[in-house]
């Protein structure tokens, strides 16, 4: 059977709609994780419009049921943050793999989607150039800049924000960096990105 991408998206989005965290977009209230997933798909299409259904699935399911394991369920420390992220990636990968198998993906295809969600290829050093892993990383960074950065920036001092931007920039491939420079960012975001890149 061929992967049923439309069915996979329906199942992924149905889970996203259960997110109790809501945002207001163009006068409409929407579950935050559905909004995030739609942004991931939007930037994926900008970045690499001809990607495989497997990459498209991984992008749509990046934060699959993330709200069920809140950040505060782990200690508010650096080790606590990394433990939370590691647990989430493994959990999300396993859940989405099962969903893929239900939608006609082969075992190998479902494993590939799970590996992209768990960022396994990036860990192996394969996430440079235009690999599938790098595409997902780029898109996640672009969504962060577009959708989350302005609120995030208000919660931290400038030195920390510039450091985070520099780390984000290094994680991105050339195509991701090109798109980031073309983004319609707020004046404050442009100022901070400028400082980060000149530092």
């Amino acid at each position: 059977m061929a992967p049923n991408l439309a069915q996979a998206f329906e199942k992924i989005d149905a889970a996203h709609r259960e997110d109790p965290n809501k945002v207001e977009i163009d006068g409409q209230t929407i579950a935050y994780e559905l909004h995030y997933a739609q942004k991931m798909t939007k930037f994926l299409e900008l970045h690499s419009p001809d990607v495989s259904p497997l990459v498209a699935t991984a992008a749509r399911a990046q934060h699959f049921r993330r709200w069920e394991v809140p950040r505060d369920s782990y200690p508010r420390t650096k080790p606590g943050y990394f433990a939370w992220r590691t647990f989430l990636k493994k959990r999300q990968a396993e859940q989405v793999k099962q969903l893929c198998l239900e939608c006609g993906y082969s075992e190998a295809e479902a494993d590939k989607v799970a590996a992209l969600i768990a960022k396994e290829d990036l860990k192996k050093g394969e996430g440079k150039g235009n690999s599938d892993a790098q595409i997902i990383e780029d898109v996640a960074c672009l969504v962060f800049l577009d959708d989350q950065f302005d609120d995030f920036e208000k919660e931290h001092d400038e030195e920390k924000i510039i450091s985070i931007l520099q780390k984000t920039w290094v994680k991105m491939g050339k195509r991701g960096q090109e798109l980031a420079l073309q983004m319609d960012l707020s004046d404050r975001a442009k100022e901070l990105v400028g400082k980060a890149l000149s530092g």
Side-chain angles (χ1 to χ4, degrees):
M1 288 174 66
N4 189 332
L5 184 62
Q7 185 186 17
F9 268 37
E10 282 177 19
K11 285 178 173 281
I12 291 164
D13 287 354
H16 290 326
R17 285 189 186 92
E18 295 177 21
D19 181 8
N21 305 296
K22 308 297 181 187
V23 287
E24 193 88 8
I25 306 294
D26 298 327
Q28 299 284 324
T29 301
I30 183 173
Y32 175 74
E33 289 302 354
L34 179 59
H35 165 69
Y36 179 88
Q38 290 170 344
K39 286 268 185 182
M40 286 291 293
T41 297
K42 173 189 167 185
F43 278 100
L44 178 64
E45 289 168 354
L46 276 173
H47 186 292
S48 300
D50 299 321
V51 292
S52 73
L54 307 185
V55 179
T57 304
R60 192 74 169 202
Q62 270 299 284
H63 282 183
F64 195 76
R65 296 195 171 277
R66 178 172 285 205
W67 74 89
E68 294 178 344
V69 187
R71 172 66 186 91
D72 286 342
S73 60
Y74 281 76
R76 280 273 170 190
T77 60
K78 199 166 187 178
Y81 172 76
F82 286 118
W84 173 68
R85 286 287 301 272
T86 299
F87 175 77
L88 276 176
K89 284 188 284 190
K90 185 172 184 292
R91 179 181 190 261
Q92 289 162 187
E94 289 169 353
Q95 290 177 330
V96 177
K97 177 183 175 179
Q98 186 56 43
L99 182 152
C100 287
L101 292 172
E102 293 166 7
C103 297
Y105 293 58
S106 69
E107 189 81 23
E109 289 167 337
D111 281 340
K112 170 72 171 174
V113 174
L116 286 169
I117 288 173
K119 300 190 175 182
E120 287 176 8
D121 287 349
L122 278 174
K123 288 182 212 161
K124 294 174 191 167
E126 297 168 9
K128 286 298 170 191
N130 207 35
S131 72
D132 291 342
Q134 186 62 53
I135 291 170
I136 295 288
E137 185 70 20
D138 282 4
V139 171
C141 291
L142 291 168
V143 173
F144 167 68
L145 288 171
D146 177 72
D147 191 60
Q148 301 164 328
F149 181 74
D150 286 338
D151 287 338
F152 184 79
E153 177 267 319
K154 294 181 179 74
E155 299 172 4
H156 303 280
D157 62 61
E158 185 172 302
E159 186 178 344
K160 181 170 184 179
I161 290 296
I162 288 171
S163 171
I164 288 168
L165 283 170
Q166 288 169 338
K167 288 173 186 170
T168 300
W169 194 257
V170 170
K171 287 196 294 185
M172 297 171 80
K174 186 178 178 185
R175 175 63 177 152
Q177 291 173 348
E178 287 171 356
L179 286 172
L181 292 173
Q182 296 167 18
M183 291 174 74
D184 184 21
L185 300 173
S186 68
D187 289 343
R188 176 62 174 157
K190 286 177 187 170
E191 177 191 350
L192 289 167
V193 169
K195 287 181 179 180
L197 296 184
S198 63

